[in-house]
Amino acid sequence: MADETIAIIGAGIVGLAIGREITRRRPGTRVVLLEKEAAVAQHQTGHNSGVVHAGIYYPPGSLKAELCTRGRLLLREYCAERGIAYDECGKLVVAVRADELGRLDNLEKRARENGVPGLRRVDPAGIREIEPHAAGLAALHSPETAITDFPGVARAFAADIGAAGGEVRTGFAVDRLTRQGSRIEIAAGERRLLADRVIVCAGIQSDQVAKLAGDSPGPRIIPFRGEYMRVKPAKADLVRGMIYPVPDPRYPFLGVHFTRRVTGVVEVGPNAVLATAKEGYRRTQVNVFDLAAMAAWPGTWQMARQHWRTGVKEVRGSLSKRRYMAEAMRYVPEIGAADVERAGAGVRAQALDRDGSLVDDFRIHRLGPVTAVRNAPSPAATSSLAIAEHVVGQIFEK
């Protein structure tokens, strides 16, 4: 139906990309974005590191690998068209210990299967040629890994939606979804919207909003706060692009790394500390409801039993700048605790299955007229335009 109404709950970069794709693919459709905050891109989109991933990490054949590869190309083209900063400053993934070399081999194999452009393996001399102040035994260099301004991209998507006749309603905190015949009534207090289809892109709140639509309780979203350090200007020039560790395959987190932003600022981070609130950007933020929901999920306790040692290590690093930088100094020895200051933090919406498994791939559920994006972690921002193609194609073409 060309005159149908489609509501998208959540105006982060994924929800906005989907809204934009619908206006492009189905002109005449009424598209309404519903956002509980006063502006778009206020949570994960507005707190990430700005990295445009090239597809190094993801299992070949996974949705992440497929959508990251296409999404990067679409995003690069979009940023060029809209004049949004996009800098292919490149990334080094560095092994600093002999026992990491096997993992680096596996990562190289995966990256080549994913067609990461320009990928090459370098020795210590090659590392110093790319990043003169970095140290390591071997590294993978991805020259087309880039940085951009994701909040700026999200605002541009919102402008595209508006130009196509859609709208973004802010301050609309959805608290009820009710079937009204073939349609769905969406409520936020006394405010109402009647829609033919609903797409849930609620990020950190995706499990709670999907539950309103009758979806299964799992996966549950567990919040991990990622804290950043900012390198002081005197040493910011020691990092040209991005310097990453070899990730631990047991975890979906990439480890503390050095990233240059499009503003020229160099940041170190993020770590991954279990947060005490879903929107807990500060250590002092506690939400009793969120804690109770986490405690009630069997997967939380399974995860704690498996990974408590890593959790303790992350908390120690969070509390001590010296401990935080001890790991980072293995990659850039000249930047220590005295050379950084605490910066911002983000919260990662980590999906957790009932058995304690950390969900790594994108996960999308269909419930009749409701589509719920239940897990969209990094590289969701990189992949946003490709995720939009995928979701809209599933809704309208299958």
Side-chain angles (χ1 to χ4, degrees):
M1 295 183 297
D3 58 347
E4 68 183 336
T5 296
I6 298 180
I8 300 170
I9 301 173
I13 196 167
V14 172
L16 290 162
I18 291 172
R20 174 181 176 273
E21 181 67 14
I22 294 170
T23 64
R24 286 161 52 86
R25 195 177 298 196
R26 295 176 68 86
T29 301
R30 182 188 181 208
V31 175
V32 184
L33 272 289
L34 305 173
E35 169 56 49
K36 72 183 182 69
E37 305 297 349
V40 304
Q42 294 301 293
H43 290 290
Q44 291 184 104
T45 304
H47 291 84
N48 70 25
S49 59
V51 176
V52 182
H53 292 279
I56 293 175
Y57 306 102
Y58 319 119
S62 67
L63 205 52
K64 269 191 176 184
E66 174 191 341
L67 299 183
C68 179
T69 298
R70 175 153 176 77
R72 180 184 64 84
L73 297 174
L74 293 172
L75 181 65
R76 182 173 65 180
E77 182 180 342
Y78 183 82
C79 288
E81 290 174 355
R82 298 302 296 265
I84 298 170
Y86 187 99
D87 179 7
E88 291 182 341
C89 59
K91 172 198 287 186
L92 278 175
V93 181
V94 183
V96 295
R97 300 193 312 261
D99 62 1
E100 294 176 333
L101 292 174
R103 282 160 42 197
L104 190 70
D105 292 340
N106 293 335
L107 198 64
E108 180 179 8
K109 181 176 182 293
R110 176 174 288 190
R112 294 198 184 283
E113 286 186 48
N114 287 338
V116 174
L119 185 80
R120 64 188 179 106
R121 186 163 178 144
V122 295
D123 60 11
I127 291 173
R128 289 190 296 274
E129 180 183 341
I130 298 162
E131 290 283 359
H133 300 277
L137 301 177
L140 297 178
H141 182 224
S142 170
E144 293 189 21
T145 296
I147 49 177
T148 192
D149 172 15
F150 281 122
V153 172
R155 291 190 292 270
F157 288 170
D160 292 343
I161 292 168
E167 59 179 309
V168 178
R169 296 186 186 179
T170 56
F172 199 108
V174 174
D175 54 33
R176 294 186 305 285
L177 294 173
T178 308
R179 294 291 179 97
Q180 301 281 359
S182 64
R183 309 186 82 192
I184 301 167
E185 184 183 74
I186 308 165
E190 297 303 313
R191 301 171 72 182
R192 302 281 193 278
L193 176 68
L194 202 59
D196 298 283
R197 301 177 192 264
V198 176
I199 304 171
V200 177
C201 299
I204 200 79
Q205 304 293 350
S206 62
D207 53 352
Q208 294 302 313
V209 179
K211 184 179 177 182
L212 298 176
D215 198 6
S216 61
R220 185 67 55 87
I221 295 297
I222 304 296
F224 282 86
R225 186 175 60 256
E227 301 158 330
Y228 291 89
M229 300 288 179
R230 182 184 300 112
V231 179
K232 294 177 181 178
K235 292 210 173 170
D237 287 342
L238 298 188
V239 177
R240 292 176 174 177
M242 291 168 261
I243 305 169
Y244 277 59
V246 180
D248 187 329
R250 294 174 298 172
Y251 306 105
F253 310 108
L254 297 180
V256 169
H257 46 267
F258 291 84
T259 303
R260 178 170 291 279
R261 288 188 175 263
V262 290
T263 59
V265 168
V266 173
E267 291 186 336
V268 189
N271 56 3
V273 182
L274 187 65
T276 50
K278 277 194 169 180
E279 296 173 10
Y281 297 102
R282 299 186 303 276
R283 284 197 294 269
T284 54
Q285 288 179 276
V286 178
N287 184 300
V288 175
F289 174 82
D290 291 344
L291 285 175
M294 283 190 274
W297 184 241
T300 303
W301 301 102
Q302 295 284 352
M303 177 187 69
R305 277 193 287 270
Q306 294 174 50
H307 304 303
W308 68 269
R309 289 181 179 84
T310 300
V312 169
K313 178 183 175 183
E314 291 289 331
V315 169
R316 286 175 176 168
S318 171
L319 296 174
S320 166
K321 192 162 66 169
R322 180 182 61 81
R323 285 181 182 270
Y324 186 106
M325 290 303 297
E327 286 290 312
M329 286 183 70
R330 295 163 62 197
Y331 303 92
V332 185
E334 295 172 61
I335 299 178
D339 305 311
V340 299
E341 55 194 4
R342 292 190 181 274
V347 176
R348 177 188 173 110
Q350 177 59 54
L352 185 68
D353 276 329
R354 182 175 288 274
D355 65 359
S357 301
L358 298 164
V359 181
D360 188 37
D361 206 358
F362 299 142
R363 192 172 291 185
I364 301 165
H365 292 183
R366 292 286 304 277
L367 303 100
V370 178
T371 299
V373 179
R374 294 294 299 265
N375 190 47
S378 178
T382 299
S383 311
S384 57
L385 290 168
I387 292 173
E389 288 182 340
H390 176 79
V391 171
V392 175
Q394 283 207 330
I395 291 172
F396 295 113
E397 296 172 9
K398 292 186 178 180

PDB file of all heavy atoms in Angstrom, residues 269-291:
ATOM      1  N   GLY A 269      40.713   3.725  23.937  1.00  0.00           N
ATOM      2  CA  GLY A 269      39.545   3.053  24.479  1.00  0.00           C
ATOM      3  C   GLY A 269      38.715   2.460  23.351  1.00  0.00           C
ATOM      4  O   GLY A 269      39.145   2.447  22.196  1.00  0.00           O
ATOM      5  N   PRO A 270      37.529   1.969  23.684  1.00  0.00           N
ATOM      6  CA  PRO A 270      36.968   1.919  25.029  1.00  0.00           C
ATOM      7  C   PRO A 270      37.270   0.601  25.737  1.00  0.00           C
ATOM      8  O   PRO A 270      37.618  -0.394  25.099  1.00  0.00           O
ATOM      9  CB  PRO A 270      35.464   2.018  24.744  1.00  0.00           C
ATOM     10  CG  PRO A 270      35.313   1.265  23.440  1.00  0.00           C
ATOM     11  CD  PRO A 270      36.563   1.576  22.653  1.00  0.00           C
ATOM     12  N   ASN A 271      37.140   0.623  27.070  1.00  0.00           N
ATOM     13  CA  ASN A 271      37.141  -0.619  27.824  1.00  0.00           C
ATOM     14  C   ASN A 271      35.726  -1.202  27.778  1.00  0.00           C
ATOM     15  O   ASN A 271      34.908  -0.771  26.960  1.00  0.00           O
ATOM     16  CB  ASN A 271      37.620  -0.372  29.262  1.00  0.00           C
ATOM     17  CG  ASN A 271      36.786   0.702  29.967  1.00  0.00           C
ATOM     18  OD1 ASN A 271      35.824   1.228  29.413  1.00  0.00           O
ATOM     19  ND2 ASN A 271      37.165   1.025  31.187  1.00  0.00           N
ATOM     20  N   ALA A 272      35.417  -2.166  28.617  1.00  0.00           N
ATOM     21  CA  ALA A 272      34.072  -2.763  28.612  1.00  0.00           C
ATOM     22  C   ALA A 272      33.724  -3.161  30.050  1.00  0.00           C
ATOM     23  O   ALA A 272      34.098  -4.237  30.512  1.00  0.00           O
ATOM     24  CB  ALA A 272      34.015  -3.981  27.698  1.00  0.00           C
ATOM     25  N   VAL A 273      33.035  -2.257  30.739  1.00  0.00           N
ATOM     26  CA  VAL A 273      32.670  -2.459  32.139  1.00  0.00           C
ATOM     27  C   VAL A 273      31.159  -2.659  32.229  1.00  0.00           C
ATOM     28  O   VAL A 273      30.388  -1.868  31.671  1.00  0.00           O
ATOM     29  CB  VAL A 273      33.083  -1.239  33.002  1.00  0.00           C
ATOM     30  CG1 VAL A 273      32.734  -1.471  34.469  1.00  0.00           C
ATOM     31  CG2 VAL A 273      34.569  -0.961  32.840  1.00  0.00           C
ATOM     32  N   LEU A 274      30.730  -3.707  32.926  1.00  0.00           N
ATOM     33  CA  LEU A 274      29.302  -3.930  33.112  1.00  0.00           C
ATOM     34  C   LEU A 274      28.693  -2.706  33.784  1.00  0.00           C
ATOM     35  O   LEU A 274      29.133  -2.279  34.860  1.00  0.00           O
ATOM     36  CB  LEU A 274      29.067  -5.175  33.968  1.00  0.00           C
ATOM     37  CG  LEU A 274      27.618  -5.634  34.111  1.00  0.00           C
ATOM     38  CD1 LEU A 274      27.050  -6.081  32.767  1.00  0.00           C
ATOM     39  CD2 LEU A 274      27.524  -6.776  35.118  1.00  0.00           C
ATOM     40  N   ALA A 275      27.693  -2.097  33.139  1.00  0.00           N
ATOM     41  CA  ALA A 275      27.078  -0.875  33.660  1.00  0.00           C
ATOM     42  C   ALA A 275      25.946  -1.209  34.621  1.00  0.00           C
ATOM     43  O   ALA A 275      25.329  -2.273  34.528  1.00  0.00           O
ATOM     44  CB  ALA A 275      26.565  -0.021  32.505  1.00  0.00           C
ATOM     45  N   THR A 276      25.658  -0.285  35.530  1.00  0.00           N
ATOM     46  CA  THR A 276      24.590  -0.477  36.512  1.00  0.00           C
ATOM     47  C   THR A 276      23.302   0.219  36.088  1.00  0.00           C
ATOM     48  O   THR A 276      22.376   0.375  36.879  1.00  0.00           O
ATOM     49  CB  THR A 276      25.034   0.025  37.893  1.00  0.00           C
ATOM     50  OG1 THR A 276      25.565   1.349  37.767  1.00  0.00           O
ATOM     51  CG2 THR A 276      26.111  -0.880  38.483  1.00  0.00           C
ATOM     52  N   ALA A 277      23.250   0.642  34.827  1.00  0.00           N
ATOM     53  CA  ALA A 277      22.036   1.203  34.227  1.00  0.00           C
ATOM     54  C   ALA A 277      22.178   1.075  32.724  1.00  0.00           C
ATOM     55  O   ALA A 277      23.295   1.149  32.187  1.00  0.00           O
ATOM     56  CB  ALA A 277      21.836   2.665  34.624  1.00  0.00           C
ATOM     57  N   LYS A 278      21.061   0.869  32.030  1.00  0.00           N
ATOM     58  CA  LYS A 278      21.143   0.724  30.579  1.00  0.00           C
ATOM     59  C   LYS A 278      21.692   1.979  29.907  1.00  0.00           C
ATOM     60  O   LYS A 278      22.340   1.895  28.866  1.00  0.00           O
ATOM     61  CB  LYS A 278      19.765   0.380  30.010  1.00  0.00           C
ATOM     62  CG  LYS A 278      19.437  -1.102  30.083  1.00  0.00           C
ATOM     63  CD  LYS A 278      18.235  -1.415  29.220  1.00  0.00           C
ATOM     64  CE  LYS A 278      18.051  -2.927  29.073  1.00  0.00           C
ATOM     65  NZ  LYS A 278      16.885  -3.245  28.236  1.00  0.00           N
ATOM     66  N   GLU A 279      21.435   3.109  30.493  1.00  0.00           N
ATOM     67  CA  GLU A 279      21.968   4.352  29.963  1.00  0.00           C
ATOM     68  C   GLU A 279      22.959   4.942  30.967  1.00  0.00           C
ATOM     69  O   GLU A 279      23.014   6.143  31.204  1.00  0.00           O
ATOM     70  CB  GLU A 279      20.815   5.316  29.638  1.00  0.00           C
ATOM     71  CG  GLU A 279      19.918   4.747  28.527  1.00  0.00           C
ATOM     72  CD  GLU A 279      18.658   5.555  28.268  1.00  0.00           C
ATOM     73  OE1 GLU A 279      18.535   6.676  28.804  1.00  0.00           O
ATOM     74  OE2 GLU A 279      17.779   5.057  27.527  1.00  0.00           O
ATOM     75  N   GLY A 280      23.781   4.058  31.516  1.00  0.00           N
ATOM     76  CA  GLY A 280      24.729   4.428  32.565  1.00  0.00           C
ATOM     77  C   GLY A 280      26.052   4.906  32.005  1.00  0.00           C
ATOM     78  O   GLY A 280      27.050   4.177  32.011  1.00  0.00           O
ATOM     79  N   TYR A 281      26.090   6.132  31.552  1.00  0.00           N
ATOM     80  CA  TYR A 281      27.305   6.693  30.975  1.00  0.00           C
ATOM     81  C   TYR A 281      28.322   7.093  32.044  1.00  0.00           C
ATOM     82  O   TYR A 281      29.481   7.349  31.740  1.00  0.00           O
ATOM     83  CB  TYR A 281      26.965   7.896  30.095  1.00  0.00           C
ATOM     84  CG  TYR A 281      26.092   7.526  28.910  1.00  0.00           C
ATOM     85  CD1 TYR A 281      24.728   7.796  28.912  1.00  0.00           C
ATOM     86  CD2 TYR A 281      26.636   6.867  27.817  1.00  0.00           C
ATOM     87  CE1 TYR A 281      23.929   7.438  27.835  1.00  0.00           C
ATOM     88  CE2 TYR A 281      25.842   6.503  26.744  1.00  0.00           C
ATOM     89  CZ  TYR A 281      24.491   6.787  26.759  1.00  0.00           C
ATOM     90  OH  TYR A 281      23.708   6.410  25.691  1.00  0.00           O
ATOM     91  N   ARG A 282      27.868   7.166  33.308  1.00  0.00           N
ATOM     92  CA  ARG A 282      28.768   7.466  34.418  1.00  0.00           C
ATOM     93  C   ARG A 282      28.711   6.340  35.442  1.00  0.00           C
ATOM     94  O   ARG A 282      27.676   5.682  35.602  1.00  0.00           O
ATOM     95  CB  ARG A 282      28.381   8.791  35.095  1.00  0.00           C
ATOM     96  CG  ARG A 282      28.462  10.005  34.170  1.00  0.00           C
ATOM     97  CD  ARG A 282      28.201  11.302  34.939  1.00  0.00           C
ATOM     98  NE  ARG A 282      26.915  11.280  35.621  1.00  0.00           N
ATOM     99  CZ  ARG A 282      25.749  11.596  35.045  1.00  0.00           C
ATOM    100  NH1 ARG A 282      25.724  11.939  33.768  1.00  0.00           N
ATOM    101  NH2 ARG A 282      24.636  11.556  35.737  1.00  0.00           N
ATOM    102  N   ARG A 283      29.816   6.141  36.159  1.00  0.00           N
ATOM    103  CA  ARG A 283      29.870   5.072  37.167  1.00  0.00           C
ATOM    104  C   ARG A 283      28.815   5.254  38.249  1.00  0.00           C
ATOM    105  O   ARG A 283      28.362   4.288  38.856  1.00  0.00           O
ATOM    106  CB  ARG A 283      31.257   5.023  37.801  1.00  0.00           C
ATOM    107  CG  ARG A 283      32.315   4.387  36.941  1.00  0.00           C
ATOM    108  CD  ARG A 283      33.528   4.006  37.763  1.00  0.00           C
ATOM    109  NE  ARG A 283      34.221   5.166  38.290  1.00  0.00           N
ATOM    110  CZ  ARG A 283      35.212   5.785  37.685  1.00  0.00           C
ATOM    111  NH1 ARG A 283      35.646   5.341  36.512  1.00  0.00           N
ATOM    112  NH2 ARG A 283      35.798   6.829  38.225  1.00  0.00           N
ATOM    113  N   THR A 284      28.452   6.491  38.505  1.00  0.00           N
ATOM    114  CA  THR A 284      27.517   6.780  39.597  1.00  0.00           C
ATOM    115  C   THR A 284      26.056   6.535  39.217  1.00  0.00           C
ATOM    116  O   THR A 284      25.180   6.594  40.083  1.00  0.00           O
ATOM    117  CB  THR A 284      27.669   8.242  40.047  1.00  0.00           C
ATOM    118  OG1 THR A 284      27.515   9.105  38.899  1.00  0.00           O
ATOM    119  CG2 THR A 284      29.046   8.477  40.667  1.00  0.00           C
ATOM    120  N   GLN A 285      25.778   6.275  37.950  1.00  0.00           N
ATOM    121  CA  GLN A 285      24.400   6.063  37.523  1.00  0.00           C
ATOM    122  C   GLN A 285      23.958   4.633  37.822  1.00  0.00           C
ATOM    123  O   GLN A 285      24.600   3.669  37.391  1.00  0.00           O
ATOM    124  CB  GLN A 285      24.250   6.341  36.021  1.00  0.00           C
ATOM    125  CG  GLN A 285      24.332   7.827  35.661  1.00  0.00           C
ATOM    126  CD  GLN A 285      24.194   8.042  34.172  1.00  0.00           C
ATOM    127  OE1 GLN A 285      25.166   7.937  33.435  1.00  0.00           O
ATOM    128  NE2 GLN A 285      22.991   8.329  33.718  1.00  0.00           N
ATOM    129  N   VAL A 286      22.864   4.517  38.591  1.00  0.00           N
ATOM    130  CA  VAL A 286      22.303   3.217  38.963  1.00  0.00           C
ATOM    131  C   VAL A 286      20.809   3.241  38.675  1.00  0.00           C
ATOM    132  O   VAL A 286      20.118   4.198  39.047  1.00  0.00           O
ATOM    133  CB  VAL A 286      22.539   2.901  40.449  1.00  0.00           C
ATOM    134  CG1 VAL A 286      21.909   1.561  40.817  1.00  0.00           C
ATOM    135  CG2 VAL A 286      24.029   2.898  40.770  1.00  0.00           C
ATOM    136  N   ASN A 287      20.304   2.212  38.001  1.00  0.00           N
ATOM    137  CA  ASN A 287      18.878   2.080  37.745  1.00  0.00           C
ATOM    138  C   ASN A 287      18.435   0.742  38.315  1.00  0.00           C
ATOM    139  O   ASN A 287      18.841  -0.315  37.821  1.00  0.00           O
ATOM    140  CB  ASN A 287      18.593   2.156  36.239  1.00  0.00           C
ATOM    141  CG  ASN A 287      17.113   2.120  35.916  1.00  0.00           C
ATOM    142  OD1 ASN A 287      16.413   1.172  36.244  1.00  0.00           O
ATOM    143  ND2 ASN A 287      16.634   3.163  35.238  1.00  0.00           N
ATOM    144  N   VAL A 288      17.637   0.800  39.369  1.00  0.00           N
ATOM    145  CA  VAL A 288      17.227  -0.408  40.083  1.00  0.00           C
ATOM    146  C   VAL A 288      16.428  -1.340  39.166  1.00  0.00           C
ATOM    147  O   VAL A 288      16.590  -2.569  39.202  1.00  0.00           O
ATOM    148  CB  VAL A 288      16.415  -0.050  41.337  1.00  0.00           C
ATOM    149  CG1 VAL A 288      15.884  -1.300  42.022  1.00  0.00           C
ATOM    150  CG2 VAL A 288      17.283   0.745  42.305  1.00  0.00           C
ATOM    151  N   PHE A 289      15.560  -0.762  38.310  1.00  0.00           N
ATOM    152  CA  PHE A 289      14.772  -1.576  37.385  1.00  0.00           C
ATOM    153  C   PHE A 289      15.683  -2.335  36.426  1.00  0.00           C
ATOM    154  O   PHE A 289      15.499  -3.536  36.187  1.00  0.00           O
ATOM    155  CB  PHE A 289      13.800  -0.693  36.609  1.00  0.00           C
ATOM    156  CG  PHE A 289      13.037  -1.424  35.531  1.00  0.00           C
ATOM    157  CD1 PHE A 289      11.903  -2.165  35.838  1.00  0.00           C
ATOM    158  CD2 PHE A 289      13.471  -1.393  34.213  1.00  0.00           C
ATOM    159  CE1 PHE A 289      11.214  -2.857  34.853  1.00  0.00           C
ATOM    160  CE2 PHE A 289      12.787  -2.078  33.222  1.00  0.00           C
ATOM    161  CZ  PHE A 289      11.656  -2.811  33.550  1.00  0.00           C
ATOM    162  N   ASP A 290      16.684  -1.631  35.873  1.00  0.00           N
ATOM    163  CA  ASP A 290      17.605  -2.284  34.940  1.00  0.00           C
ATOM    164  C   ASP A 290      18.395  -3.384  35.632  1.00  0.00           C
ATOM    165  O   ASP A 290      18.611  -4.463  35.061  1.00  0.00           O
ATOM    166  CB  ASP A 290      18.566  -1.248  34.342  1.00  0.00           C
ATOM    167  CG  ASP A 290      17.884  -0.276  33.400  1.00  0.00           C
ATOM    168  OD1 ASP A 290      16.756  -0.560  32.961  1.00  0.00           O
ATOM    169  OD2 ASP A 290      18.486   0.775  33.091  1.00  0.00           O
ATOM    170  N   LEU A 291      18.852  -3.131  36.861  1.00  0.00           N
ATOM    171  CA  LEU A 291      19.611  -4.140  37.597  1.00  0.00           C
ATOM    172  C   LEU A 291      18.751  -5.366  37.882  1.00  0.00           C
ATOM    173  O   LEU A 291      19.214  -6.509  37.770  1.00  0.00           O
ATOM    174  CB  LEU A 291      20.136  -3.551  38.905  1.00  0.00           C
ATOM    175  CG  LEU A 291      21.324  -2.586  38.785  1.00  0.00           C
ATOM    176  CD1 LEU A 291      21.646  -1.985  40.143  1.00  0.00           C
ATOM    177  CD2 LEU A 291      22.544  -3.300  38.229  1.00  0.00           C
TER     178      LEU A 291
END
